[in-house]
Amino acid sequence: MFTSPLLNNLIEFLPKVRGKYQKDEPMSKHTWFAVGGPAEILYHPADQEDLKYFLQNLPNNIPIYLLGGGSNLLVRDGGILGVVIKLDNKNFKQIEVGDGWIKCGAGLPNIDLKKILLKHELGGLEFLCSIPGVIGGSIKTNAGCFGSEIKDVMLCAEVMNGLGEISTLTPKDFNLSYRNSLFPDDWIILSMTLKTYHEPKAKIQQKLEEQKNYRIANQPYNEKTAGSTFKNPQGLKAWELIQKSGCAELQIGGAKVSEKHNNFLINTGNATAEDIEQLGEEIIARVKEHTSITLEWEIRRLGIRK
Ligand SMILES: Cc1cc2nc3c(=O)[nH]c(=O)nc-3n(C[C@H](O)[C@H](O)[C@H](O)COP(=O)(O)OP(=O)(O)OC[C@H]3O[C@@H](n4cnc5c(N)ncnc54)[C@H](O)[C@@H]3O)c2cc1C
């Protein structure tokens, strides 16, 4: 049970918005790991104006946290205090195609780009279609695979700050680096404009299929996971270090190391967030002992540990 609310009944102190509030919403329903305690409040803004009104009328000191597709998150079992915001209304999933560019709303699932790329014969963004999650999350994590990352293809992005002001920013403003970014905590990404070019449909289709087949062959597919658990240390592979350190068959409670890819952790069905976090910590300790290297979490952990 969720035992430590921020205010007695936070929902009563929140602005009257057009969007939807959900109280004590289990984050296990919103994360790929399918674990995690409740968000005190989950807010689904109706549109940008609604989000602006919310931010401008939010009482001081109420923490907010942006949730994308939940594919890079380990939400702890004690849940999240404050308001979690999810941009999943259709107004945050709009797409606009121009000459050499495509603008996507922050709430658009990356996979939805697929049909647009094929329809308009747009190349260079196939890699993004295979990364779970939504556009906003992909900027925050500088998502990448198959030799490309957001940093290479982003032209600009619209952001709303904590005062509800919107600005258009360049990739430099987000300080994008390997699976990371550095920008003020109160920035909410609203959309991203991506660079693209004409590519015949057949070639796009071929790339998409090759990438999908690669994932099916080399990574856990259709599993409860959050992708690569640890960042690859410079010039090294995290999965190799994990394997060499004797962690390939580790299991704690319902959490285990994937046999297919040792840098993926899997919820086998009944894992708690604690099982997964403890498994990660055990791997870090063993890899450190065997190789003197300290692995760094790529997955973002948040919320209260029970
Ligand atoms: C099977 C699998 C395979 C994966 N493969 C890859 C891969 O090849 N390459 C790769 O890079 N990643 C991979 N991942 C990890 C994950 O998909 C990416 O990190 C993805 O970009 C996360 O996006 P999300 O929308 O799910 O973000 P979330 O996990 O929901 O959140 C990630 C971060 O983004 C922030 N955020 C989300 N939306 C916004 C917004 N609108 N404004 C501001 N901040 C926001 C959140 O607060 C959080 O800090 C994989 C994951 C899985 C499950």
Side-chain angles (χ1 to χ4, degrees):
M1 266 308 287
F2 192 44
T3 52
S4 52
L6 198 64
L7 288 170
N8 199 14
N9 198 2
L10 175 56
I11 203 158
E12 286 174 10
F13 296 84
L14 297 178
K16 303 286 173 249
V17 291
R18 286 179 289 112
K20 191 170 91 178
Y21 291 132
Q22 287 177 286
K23 194 170 176 264
D24 296 343
E25 173 68 4
M27 286 294 94
S28 52
K29 286 191 192 168
H30 299 269
T31 57
W32 275 60
F33 263 137
V35 298
E40 196 168 0
I41 300 290
L42 179 62
Y43 166 44
H44 308 263
D47 50 31
Q48 287 188 15
E49 272 306 308
D50 192 51
L51 178 61
K52 180 177 164 183
Y53 180 82
F54 168 83
L55 293 170
Q56 290 179 340
N57 293 282
L58 184 68
N60 286 338
N61 302 323
I62 306 290
I64 59 168
Y65 189 83
L66 259 292
L67 173 68
S71 64
N72 191 229
L73 297 181
L74 177 58
V75 178
R76 298 190 176 108
D77 301 310
I80 305 173
L81 291 178
V83 182
V84 173
I85 302 177
K86 188 164 182 176
L87 305 180
D88 56 354
N89 188 290
K90 65 175 182 358
N91 291 315
F92 294 102
K93 297 181 182 176
Q94 305 292 322
I95 300 179
E96 204 183 323
V97 177
D99 187 12
W101 56 266
I102 174 165
K103 182 176 172 184
C104 306
L108 184 81
N110 299 332
I111 198 169
D112 287 6
L113 264 178
K114 224 180 210 180
K115 55 180 184 296
I116 306 295
L117 299 187
L118 288 166
K119 181 176 168 199
H120 296 273
E121 302 202 294
L122 301 173
L125 301 175
E126 297 87 344
F127 77 97
L128 188 53
C129 304
S130 76
I131 301 178
V134 302
I135 292 294
S138 71
I139 299 183
K140 180 79 178 182
T141 61
N142 186 28
C145 56
F146 305 113
S148 299
E149 58 184 8
I150 289 296
K151 196 174 180 213
D152 308 324
V153 293
M154 177 180 174
L155 289 170
C156 60
E158 278 177 321
V159 163
M160 187 179 283
N161 67 16
L163 302 172
E165 297 161 340
I166 297 178
S167 32
T168 302
L169 303 169
T170 65
K172 254 176 99 179
D173 298 312
F174 295 91
N175 290 300
L176 301 169
S177 60
Y178 170 51
R179 300 299 164 268
N180 212 353
S181 58
L182 199 60
F183 57 83
D185 283 346
D186 72 340
W187 286 10
I188 298 177
I189 295 158
L190 299 174
S191 71
M192 169 164 59
T193 304
L194 295 146
K195 215 179 339 186
T196 181
Y197 50 83
H198 179 264
E199 182 94 286
K201 189 174 173 177
K203 218 167 161 190
I204 298 170
Q205 187 78 60
Q206 188 192 341
K207 257 195 206 170
L208 290 169
E209 263 164 42
E210 280 170 9
Q211 294 178 353
K212 184 173 174 189
N213 292 338
Y214 177 89
R215 285 199 188 258
I216 292 173
N218 297 289
Q219 297 175 359
Y221 207 74
N222 286 335
E223 295 271 15
K224 297 185 178 86
T225 178
S228 295
T229 310
F230 303 105
K231 293 184 182 181
N232 288 322
Q234 184 97 46
L236 296 167
K237 296 279 179 211
W239 70 263
E240 257 175 5
L241 299 171
I242 294 169
Q243 195 179 69
K244 274 189 200 155
S245 308
C247 302
E249 288 170 18
L250 272 186
Q251 175 147 9
I252 293 183
K256 69 169 200 160
V257 174
S258 159
E259 290 149 24
K260 225 171 177 183
H261 193 307
N262 289 169
N263 195 23
F264 281 55
L265 303 186
I266 308 279
N267 170 4
T268 59
N270 60 351
T272 59
E274 186 60 27
D275 292 340
I276 298 170
E277 191 159 10
Q278 278 187 20
L279 180 58
E281 284 168 351
E282 180 64 26
I283 292 170
I284 292 174
R286 290 201 189 189
V287 169
K288 175 82 177 162
E289 195 184 316
H290 281 77
T291 67
S292 301
I293 293 166
T294 305
L295 289 176
E296 188 190 336
W297 287 90
E298 180 172 324
I299 290 173
R300 284 151 207 267
R301 294 161 298 147
L302 73 149
I304 302 164
R305 215 163 171 171
K306 255 188 180 167

